[in-house]
Amino acid sequence: GAVVSQHPSRVICKSGTSVKIECRSLDFQATTMFWYRQFPKKSLMLMATSNEGSKATYEQGVEKDKFLINHASLTLSTLTVTSAHPEDSSFYICSAHPPSGGPGDTQYFGPGTRLTVL
Amino acid sequence: GEDVEQSLFLSVREGDSSVINCTYTDSSSTYLYWYKQEPGAGLQLLTYIFSNMDMKQDQRLTVLLNKKDKHLSLRIADTQTGDSAIYFCAEDHGSGNTGKLIFGQGTTLQVKP
């Protein structure tokens, strides 16, 4: 099946710094990628839809200036957590949606990035 | 609004069948999905069902859909310790194949040897 990678897998940073997380589709082109946040023992919360060549679409309650998304190419989307604070600590997961394919190919998920803000 | 509910925990013995239940509120769903998440990892698509189907079987997995009651279930036959994980149901709230999904809270399946 299709592969989606995330980098880094784990990051620890100081409060006030910015952290960039990359999401790559390795063997297919993805015009659409999704960024999720997962709290412990909680569901995945969709943060935004990343569209190649256009602005990301953010879900209600997600701060655009806090979570910057750039979908510069058909295989790469980045999420930058700006001025990170301890409450931003979470597991961030991306997924990529191929432009074609059946419902079973709807989304391929990355392995996730564990962010810890001290 | 959109809401997907799951029970949070299920414990079974190895070799038994597991049944994980899910309810949803959006009747416009086109596809419903089951994903598996192992500790510290991303989500793996297990199976999906089109909304006009009642049942789908794929090896040890059986998905049942009661559209009238908006109830989805995943049955795992002959459950193995390797099946221990969190299982998420998800629906696409009518968006079809655009990729945007609404997830339940996840059911933690514990398989005891």
Side-chain angles (χ1 to χ4, degrees), chain A residues 36-111:
Chain A
Y36 294 86
R37 182 173 177 177
Q38 186 178 29
F39 296 93
K41 300 188 190 303
K42 295 286 186 182
S43 181
L44 278 72
M45 181 192 79
L46 178 63
M47 299 174 65
T49 304
S50 172
N51 303 297
E52 189 271 334
S54 63
K55 290 183 179 179
T57 304
Y58 289 81
E59 296 299 304
Q60 193 172 8
V62 178
E63 299 175 59
K64 300 177 184 181
D65 297 331
K66 173 76 172 176
F67 300 99
L68 300 179
I69 291 173
N70 183 22
H71 196 149
S73 75
L74 288 171
T75 60
L76 174 64
S77 175
T78 60
L79 168 69
T80 301
V81 182
T82 62
S83 187
H85 289 282
E87 57 265 29
D88 299 323
S89 298
S90 193
F91 195 55
Y92 293 88
I93 304 177
C94 73
S95 70
H97 174 66
S100 61
D105 298 334
T106 299
Q107 287 192 47
Y108 292 97
F109 283 81

Side-chain angles (χ1 to χ4, degrees), chain A residues 1-3 27 108:
Chain A
V3 178
D27 51 1
Y108 292 97

Side-chain angles (χ1 to χ4, degrees), chain A residues 32 34 36 38 41-44 46 49 59 91 93 97 101-107 109-112, chain B residues 8 31 33 35 37 40-45 48 86 88 96-106:
Chain A
T32 305
F34 300 90
Y36 294 86
Q38 186 178 29
K41 300 188 190 303
K42 295 286 186 182
S43 181
L44 278 72
L46 178 63
T49 304
E59 296 299 304
F91 195 55
I93 304 177
H97 174 66
D105 298 334
T106 299
Q107 287 192 47
F109 283 81
Chain B
L8 295 181
Y31 296 100
Y33 304 81
Y35 283 86
Q37 184 182 33
L43 274 69
Q44 172 196 355
L45 177 65
Y48 63 92
I86 302 175
F88 291 93
N97 203 25
T98 65
K100 185 173 179 179
L101 299 176
I102 306 299
F103 286 86
Q105 313 96 306

